[in-house]
Amino acid sequence: EAEREGARVRELEAWQKSADALTLEEKRLQAARDTYLAAADAARQTRQTYETQHRLFLDEQAGVLAQTLAAGEPCPVCGSREHPAPAPLSAHAPDRAALDALRLRAERLEGEAAEKSARAATLAGAVEEARRGVEDQAARLFPGEQPAGQALPMRAADLLAVARGRNAALTADAAKARADAQRARDIREGIPRAEAKLTEQETIRRAAEALAVQKTTEAEALAAQCAQERALLLYDGRAAAEAALRALEARRDAWDKALTDAQAAFDEAREGVRQRQAALETLRGQLTEAPAAELPALTAQKAEGEAARAALLSDRQTVAERRNGNQSAMEALSDHDRKAGQLEKRRAWLSTLAQTVNGELRGRERILLETYVQTTYLDRVLARANTRLMRMSGGQYELTRRAAPGDLRSRSGLELDVIDHYNGSERDVKTLSGGEQFKASLALALGMSDEVQSSAGGVRLDTLLIDEGFGTLDEDSLTAAIDVLASLSEGNRLVGVISHVQQLKDRIDRQIVVTKTRAGGSRVEIRV
């Protein structure tokens, strides 16, 4: 109801503006007619003056000729040798230069009058057409009423006041509708700016293509490096590396315990040697003081002490060797532990990189590297396709790539949505009707054709074949699609259409008509 009342108000306002414009045009027409009449009167008066002066000039020529007559000489006009009454000279006759100037002025004024007459005629035609438009609008707005004079504007003012009063109750809805309409107009007006921005984006796109090539090369280098690093890994996986690390840590702990035990045994042996050396010194002192009769027993004790000392020295050497071996093993284990930590960090980084490239990173969009590259080309195809889809859909639809996936657990990156500029909504492209899907598919095919020709230098797609699909279009959509195809064929491109739609047949000049025969075959006719 708000739209109906708003339309009624707009129609009345439009009619009132048309009526006001008609009044203004009628005033301009009357002024043009007055100007023409004044110019025509001036031209007529100047022409009359010229005719009068021209007659005076012709009459004066007889007097000029009479001045050349001589008695007995024949007249150049009548041949008489007698001249009883020669014509006298007039004091008011113009000369040739003044007469020519007057003639030129008369012709100029007549030309100006003709121009003003044509201008007035043009304005009269425009006024008549505007009057018919106002009368047609009045017939629609006031059916069954034929008011005369000033009654029609007064009636329109009354109806406009009533419509505005009814429309006031629906201000909010009407305001929203006008806002949507303004947004649509802003979008249409923003198309030239968008085209300029598209040109700028084309420059950015070329730079992005170069960057994409560089990043692709870097990705390939990283993949090769990843393969090399993977080949250098000592273990097949993280579990095997962790098991080996635990085994090395266990060996290290065992070696640390053995080293501690060996150090304790070494300290104990060294203390025993010290004690035996002290005992040896004591024995040597006692040997010096002891009588000779005890020498064999002391010698035996000495030999026993030296054997014990040699055994302790041997144990000490063994413990030292074991300690040095354990120290080297511990240093090697620490080095392996450090390298294992570095490899683990690199493995985690490479694993994250591989998941990103393969689209398997959790919590993020699951886009493969090849899909990411494809989205760049898809955006360029959509930019070209939308120029034709907007034309075929009357500025209603525009294709766009879905920026965010609905489910992070599934692959994404190449889904399409459609923007409806009539209601400002954005929805899945699958919600389009059959005819709308055909127009979108046709626009995508043409956009891909343009992009292939633009990207692959030297490659031209000179032939385009379209098989059916036009039967699902309404009359306006079919006309728009035909106009787009006609614009494609204006150059050196061949566009072939296979269809049974009669309206499409009537618009195609060159045809190959295939007709079935009763014998079961077909007949081909070429129409140029």
Side-chain angles (χ1 to χ4, degrees), residues 82-147:
E82 294 180 0
H83 315 292
L89 289 173
S90 175
H92 303 289
D95 56 8
R96 172 64 68 179
L99 186 63
D100 290 341
L102 187 59
R103 178 179 57 79
L104 292 175
R105 183 168 180 270
E107 292 175 352
R108 179 176 58 80
L109 291 176
E110 288 172 349
E112 291 178 356
E115 292 178 358
K116 291 179 172 58
S117 176
R119 188 178 302 113
T122 302
L123 286 175
V127 168
E128 183 62 26
E129 183 178 356
R131 182 179 292 108
R132 286 196 298 269
V134 170
E135 291 175 353
D136 293 341
Q137 289 179 342
R140 291 193 303 270
L141 292 174
F142 316 110
E145 298 184 18
Q146 296 296 332

Side-chain angles (χ1 to χ4, degrees), residues 382-452:
L382 290 177
R384 298 179 182 275
N386 281 327
T387 59
R388 292 189 172 89
L389 181 57
M390 291 284 286
R391 179 179 174 185
M392 287 190 288
S393 63
Q396 180 178 5
Y397 293 123
E398 179 182 358
L399 294 175
T400 180
R401 184 175 60 82
R402 189 174 302 166
D407 187 2
L408 294 178
R409 295 174 295 179
S410 60
R411 303 285 187 187
S412 62
L414 299 177
E415 295 85 356
L416 292 181
D417 288 337
V418 61
I419 300 175
D420 191 337
H421 291 295
Y422 283 8
N423 55 25
S425 65
E426 181 174 346
R427 62 182 190 271
D428 197 315
V429 73
K430 297 177 182 178
T431 61
L432 292 175
S433 65
E436 293 170 344
Q437 288 184 4
F438 172 73
K439 289 189 285 187
S441 300
L442 178 58
L444 283 173
L446 297 178
M448 182 175 294
S449 171
D450 293 341
E451 180 59 29
V452 169

Side-chain angles (χ1 to χ4, degrees), residues 1-8 10 166-167 170-174 177:
E1 186 179 355
E3 293 180 356
R4 185 171 62 255
E5 290 297 329
R8 177 68 172 172
R10 288 192 293 272
R166 294 179 61 187
N167 192 39
L170 303 171
T171 302
D173 294 339

Side-chain angles (χ1 to χ4, degrees), residues 463-479:
T463 303
L464 178 65
L465 296 178
I466 302 175
D467 187 5
E468 290 299 344
F470 295 93
T472 60
L473 301 181
D474 56 28
E475 183 176 355
D476 294 337
S477 299
L478 181 59
T479 301

